[in-house]
Amino acid sequence: MASTALLALCSTGAFSGLAVEAGAGVCHATPIYAGHSWHEATFRLDVAGSTLSRYLRDLLEAACPHLQLRSLPRKAITQLKKRCCYVSLDFEGDLHNQDRQHPVSVCLGNGSRVCLSSERFRCPEPIFQPSLLGQARPGLPALVFRALQKVPITLRKRLADTVVLAGGSTLFPGFTERLEMELEAQCRRHGYGALRPCLVAKPGRGTAVWTGGSMVASLHSFQCRWITRAMYQECGSRLVHEVFN
């Protein structure tokens, strides 16, 4: 029983910072100080990996109506997303200039081929612009900035110095650079020009939460919290709450 944001931070050896999680189901921006989550300063975005996979399928069906893309399993679309898609550093410019688009042709599992052009960078864009999916919520960079705004001014710089990325949806090429660029723009726009968020993007950030959990479970202070199978069978699920509360 642990905060995924805290475990993501632990995977980098930190106990204070701002965890930015973008996984399969949801995105979160969570400030952590001295190992404790700041719940009132935590923001959530209901656009993440699964949403982007469905969006990619819709984009490809619109571009290639002759292909039977609806029959492709979700896993095949997800692999296509991971293999081909990237985050644009200038979305509008890339969208309106075909010379800046880089098409790729991919063989699908059913033997047909599909060509991805602008779909490659349009797919991850809803994380930054949820309005593309008809959502009125702000994008992830704005939520990360709001989380920093919510913490006391005395801690703001300390947490901004360790902005840890975690989750598979942060692995898109260009994701880190775009988030950093937009976060700095948010700081300047709202009068926080001296605040320079430092993003920590480890190569293994896709499994950062699991790595952090492994590290925490290896600490000497954790050993008294192990629950054996026999203990669980005797007491049931209430034992979990007794041990961790």
Side-chain angles (χ1 to χ4, degrees), residues 15 20-21 30-31 50 64-65 74 80 88 138 152 154 172 186-187 202-203 212 216 218 228 242:
F15 286 93
V20 178
E21 301 173 87
T30 311
S50 297
C64 312
R74 184 175 62 181
L80 194 63
S88 169
T154 53
F172 287 111
Q186 289 275 346
C187 290
K202 298 286 187 180
V216 170
S218 299
T228 66
E242 290 176 3

mmCIF file of all heavy atoms in Angstrom, residues 15 20-21 30-31 50 64-65 74 80 88 138 152 154 172 186-187 202-203 212 216 218 228 242:
data_model
loop_
_atom_site.group_PDB
_atom_site.id
_atom_site.type_symbol
_atom_site.label_atom_id
_atom_site.label_comp_id
_atom_site.label_asym_id
_atom_site.label_seq_id
_atom_site.Cartn_x
_atom_site.Cartn_y
_atom_site.Cartn_z
ATOM 1 N N PHE A 15 13.259 11.751 -2.039
ATOM 2 C CA PHE A 15 12.064 11.663 -1.197
ATOM 3 C C PHE A 15 11.283 12.971 -1.207
ATOM 4 O O PHE A 15 10.254 13.088 -0.549
ATOM 5 C CB PHE A 15 12.452 11.283 0.231
ATOM 6 C CG PHE A 15 12.852 9.847 0.368
ATOM 7 C CD1 PHE A 15 14.181 9.473 0.258
ATOM 8 C CD2 PHE A 15 11.906 8.856 0.567
ATOM 9 C CE1 PHE A 15 14.565 8.143 0.363
ATOM 10 C CE2 PHE A 15 12.276 7.522 0.675
ATOM 11 C CZ PHE A 15 13.608 7.157 0.564
ATOM 12 N N VAL A 20 5.600 13.342 -11.966
ATOM 13 C CA VAL A 20 4.716 13.501 -13.111
ATOM 14 C C VAL A 20 4.542 12.117 -13.737
ATOM 15 O O VAL A 20 5.454 11.595 -14.371
ATOM 16 C CB VAL A 20 5.278 14.497 -14.136
ATOM 17 C CG1 VAL A 20 4.340 14.607 -15.344
ATOM 18 C CG2 VAL A 20 5.487 15.867 -13.500
ATOM 19 N N GLU A 21 3.372 11.526 -13.511
ATOM 20 C CA GLU A 21 3.100 10.171 -13.998
ATOM 21 C C GLU A 21 2.185 10.220 -15.210
ATOM 22 O O GLU A 21 1.148 10.879 -15.188
ATOM 23 C CB GLU A 21 2.430 9.346 -12.900
ATOM 24 C CG GLU A 21 3.233 9.211 -11.624
ATOM 25 C CD GLU A 21 2.425 8.523 -10.542
ATOM 26 O OE1 GLU A 21 2.437 7.283 -10.489
ATOM 27 O OE2 GLU A 21 1.755 9.244 -9.771
ATOM 28 N N THR A 30 2.013 15.149 -8.857
ATOM 29 C CA THR A 30 1.909 15.020 -7.405
ATOM 30 C C THR A 30 3.145 15.550 -6.702
ATOM 31 O O THR A 30 4.230 14.971 -6.835
ATOM 32 C CB THR A 30 1.715 13.541 -7.001
ATOM 33 O OG1 THR A 30 0.667 12.954 -7.775
ATOM 34 C CG2 THR A 30 1.405 13.412 -5.522
ATOM 35 N N PRO A 31 3.023 16.640 -5.931
ATOM 36 C CA PRO A 31 4.157 17.101 -5.128
ATOM 37 C C PRO A 31 4.383 16.156 -3.937
ATOM 38 O O PRO A 31 3.427 15.718 -3.286
ATOM 39 C CB PRO A 31 3.738 18.491 -4.649
ATOM 40 C CG PRO A 31 2.552 18.858 -5.486
ATOM 41 C CD PRO A 31 1.893 17.570 -5.844
ATOM 42 N N SER A 50 -3.889 4.413 -22.913
ATOM 43 C CA SER A 50 -5.025 3.711 -23.525
ATOM 44 C C SER A 50 -5.853 4.654 -24.389
ATOM 45 O O SER A 50 -6.311 4.278 -25.475
ATOM 46 C CB SER A 50 -5.909 3.091 -22.439
ATOM 47 O OG SER A 50 -5.192 2.128 -21.711
ATOM 48 N N CYS A 64 -6.979 5.915 -43.630
ATOM 49 C CA CYS A 64 -6.951 4.703 -44.469
ATOM 50 C C CYS A 64 -8.262 3.940 -44.321
ATOM 51 O O CYS A 64 -8.292 2.847 -43.730
ATOM 52 C CB CYS A 64 -5.786 3.803 -44.073
ATOM 53 S SG CYS A 64 -4.199 4.633 -43.912
ATOM 54 N N PRO A 65 -9.365 4.484 -44.832
ATOM 55 C CA PRO A 65 -10.671 3.826 -44.645
ATOM 56 C C PRO A 65 -10.771 2.459 -45.319
ATOM 57 O O PRO A 65 -11.650 1.666 -44.963
ATOM 58 C CB PRO A 65 -11.653 4.830 -45.266
ATOM 59 C CG PRO A 65 -10.829 5.666 -46.200
ATOM 60 C CD PRO A 65 -9.464 5.734 -45.600
ATOM 61 N N ARG A 74 -6.077 -4.628 -29.886
ATOM 62 C CA ARG A 74 -5.594 -3.411 -29.231
ATOM 63 C C ARG A 74 -4.077 -3.452 -29.047
ATOM 64 O O ARG A 74 -3.401 -2.430 -29.153
ATOM 65 C CB ARG A 74 -6.283 -3.245 -27.886
ATOM 66 C CG ARG A 74 -5.918 -1.958 -27.152
ATOM 67 C CD ARG A 74 -6.708 -1.798 -25.887
ATOM 68 N NE ARG A 74 -6.450 -2.878 -24.944
ATOM 69 C CZ ARG A 74 -7.033 -2.989 -23.749
ATOM 70 N NH1 ARG A 74 -7.935 -2.101 -23.377
ATOM 71 N NH2 ARG A 74 -6.742 -3.986 -22.940
ATOM 72 N N LEU A 80 2.172 -0.313 -32.390
ATOM 73 C CA LEU A 80 2.351 0.659 -33.472
ATOM 74 C C LEU A 80 2.605 2.049 -32.882
ATOM 75 O O LEU A 80 3.479 2.790 -33.352
ATOM 76 C CB LEU A 80 1.098 0.663 -34.352
ATOM 77 C CG LEU A 80 1.178 1.357 -35.709
ATOM 78 C CD1 LEU A 80 2.199 0.673 -36.610
ATOM 79 C CD2 LEU A 80 -0.190 1.344 -36.375
ATOM 80 N N SER A 88 5.641 16.242 -30.947
ATOM 81 C CA SER A 88 6.148 17.368 -31.728
ATOM 82 C C SER A 88 6.513 18.531 -30.806
ATOM 83 O O SER A 88 5.813 18.806 -29.832
ATOM 84 C CB SER A 88 5.082 17.830 -32.728
ATOM 85 O OG SER A 88 5.456 19.057 -33.314
ATOM 86 N N PRO A 138 -7.228 21.475 -18.924
ATOM 87 C CA PRO A 138 -5.895 21.887 -19.382
ATOM 88 C C PRO A 138 -5.011 20.671 -19.622
ATOM 89 O O PRO A 138 -5.282 19.575 -19.105
ATOM 90 C CB PRO A 138 -5.353 22.734 -18.214
ATOM 91 C CG PRO A 138 -6.401 22.781 -17.180
ATOM 92 C CD PRO A 138 -7.502 21.844 -17.548
ATOM 93 N N PRO A 152 3.732 25.602 -0.781
ATOM 94 C CA PRO A 152 4.229 26.847 -0.178
ATOM 95 C C PRO A 152 5.442 27.384 -0.923
ATOM 96 O O PRO A 152 6.270 26.617 -1.425
ATOM 97 C CB PRO A 152 4.599 26.426 1.249
ATOM 98 C CG PRO A 152 3.759 25.218 1.519
ATOM 99 C CD PRO A 152 3.627 24.518 0.219
ATOM 100 N N THR A 154 8.107 28.597 0.077
ATOM 101 C CA THR A 154 9.397 28.213 0.656
ATOM 102 C C THR A 154 9.886 26.859 0.138
ATOM 103 O O THR A 154 11.079 26.564 0.201
ATOM 104 C CB THR A 154 9.300 28.154 2.187
ATOM 105 O OG1 THR A 154 8.187 27.310 2.550
ATOM 106 C CG2 THR A 154 9.093 29.544 2.774
ATOM 107 N N PHE A 172 7.606 8.605 -25.136
ATOM 108 C CA PHE A 172 7.573 9.108 -26.509
ATOM 109 C C PHE A 172 8.788 10.000 -26.755
ATOM 110 O O PHE A 172 9.082 10.880 -25.928
ATOM 111 C CB PHE A 172 6.318 9.954 -26.765
ATOM 112 C CG PHE A 172 5.036 9.179 -26.869
ATOM 113 C CD1 PHE A 172 4.068 9.292 -25.877
ATOM 114 C CD2 PHE A 172 4.782 8.366 -27.960
ATOM 115 C CE1 PHE A 172 2.872 8.603 -25.972
ATOM 116 C CE2 PHE A 172 3.592 7.666 -28.068
ATOM 117 C CZ PHE A 172 2.635 7.783 -27.068
ATOM 118 N N GLN A 186 5.027 28.343 -18.987
ATOM 119 C CA GLN A 186 4.019 28.586 -17.959
ATOM 120 C C GLN A 186 4.600 29.438 -16.831
ATOM 121 O O GLN A 186 3.953 30.373 -16.339
ATOM 122 C CB GLN A 186 3.517 27.251 -17.384
ATOM 123 C CG GLN A 186 2.650 26.441 -18.321
ATOM 124 C CD GLN A 186 1.190 26.864 -18.274
ATOM 125 O OE1 GLN A 186 0.756 27.584 -17.386
ATOM 126 N NE2 GLN A 186 0.416 26.415 -19.250
ATOM 127 N N CYS A 187 5.826 29.126 -16.420
ATOM 128 C CA CYS A 187 6.484 29.878 -15.344
ATOM 129 C C CYS A 187 6.677 31.340 -15.742
ATOM 130 O O CYS A 187 6.386 32.258 -14.958
ATOM 131 C CB CYS A 187 7.831 29.239 -14.997
ATOM 132 S SG CYS A 187 7.697 27.634 -14.169
ATOM 133 N N LYS A 202 14.725 9.313 -16.390
ATOM 134 C CA LYS A 202 15.589 8.134 -16.426
ATOM 135 C C LYS A 202 15.156 7.201 -17.563
ATOM 136 O O LYS A 202 13.967 7.117 -17.887
ATOM 137 C CB LYS A 202 15.508 7.381 -15.098
ATOM 138 C CG LYS A 202 15.980 8.173 -13.880
ATOM 139 C CD LYS A 202 17.483 8.311 -13.859
ATOM 140 C CE LYS A 202 17.950 8.941 -12.549
ATOM 141 N NZ LYS A 202 19.403 9.098 -12.492
ATOM 142 N N PRO A 203 16.101 6.475 -18.168
ATOM 143 C CA PRO A 203 15.740 5.550 -19.258
ATOM 144 C C PRO A 203 14.697 4.517 -18.840
ATOM 145 O O PRO A 203 13.858 4.111 -19.642
ATOM 146 C CB PRO A 203 17.079 4.888 -19.605
ATOM 147 C CG PRO A 203 18.122 5.873 -19.167
ATOM 148 C CD PRO A 203 17.558 6.540 -17.951
ATOM 149 N N GLY A 212 10.872 1.640 -7.807
ATOM 150 C CA GLY A 212 10.807 2.292 -6.501
ATOM 151 C C GLY A 212 10.241 1.380 -5.438
ATOM 152 O O GLY A 212 10.726 1.356 -4.296
ATOM 153 N N VAL A 216 12.074 0.291 -1.955
ATOM 154 C CA VAL A 216 11.468 0.512 -0.630
ATOM 155 C C VAL A 216 11.339 -0.805 0.133
ATOM 156 O O VAL A 216 11.608 -0.883 1.336
ATOM 157 C CB VAL A 216 10.089 1.183 -0.774
ATOM 158 C CG1 VAL A 216 9.335 1.191 0.547
ATOM 159 C CG2 VAL A 216 10.252 2.609 -1.282
ATOM 160 N N SER A 218 13.204 -3.247 0.021
ATOM 161 C CA SER A 218 14.523 -3.743 0.404
ATOM 162 C C SER A 218 15.098 -3.001 1.608
ATOM 163 O O SER A 218 16.111 -3.420 2.168
ATOM 164 C CB SER A 218 15.502 -3.604 -0.774
ATOM 165 O OG SER A 218 15.055 -4.353 -1.882
ATOM 166 N N THR A 228 2.879 -12.535 5.767
ATOM 167 C CA THR A 228 3.012 -13.889 5.223
ATOM 168 C C THR A 228 1.660 -14.393 4.730
ATOM 169 O O THR A 228 0.595 -13.873 5.119
ATOM 170 C CB THR A 228 3.546 -14.856 6.282
ATOM 171 O OG1 THR A 228 2.560 -14.987 7.326
ATOM 172 C CG2 THR A 228 4.861 -14.340 6.897
ATOM 173 N N GLU A 242 -4.278 -2.733 8.844
ATOM 174 C CA GLU A 242 -3.673 -2.641 10.175
ATOM 175 C C GLU A 242 -2.164 -2.433 10.092
ATOM 176 O O GLU A 242 -1.578 -1.672 10.864
ATOM 177 C CB GLU A 242 -3.979 -3.903 10.974
ATOM 178 C CG GLU A 242 -5.438 -4.033 11.378
ATOM 179 C CD GLU A 242 -5.724 -5.342 12.086
ATOM 180 O OE1 GLU A 242 -4.772 -6.111 12.310
ATOM 181 O OE2 GLU A 242 -6.905 -5.602 12.418
#
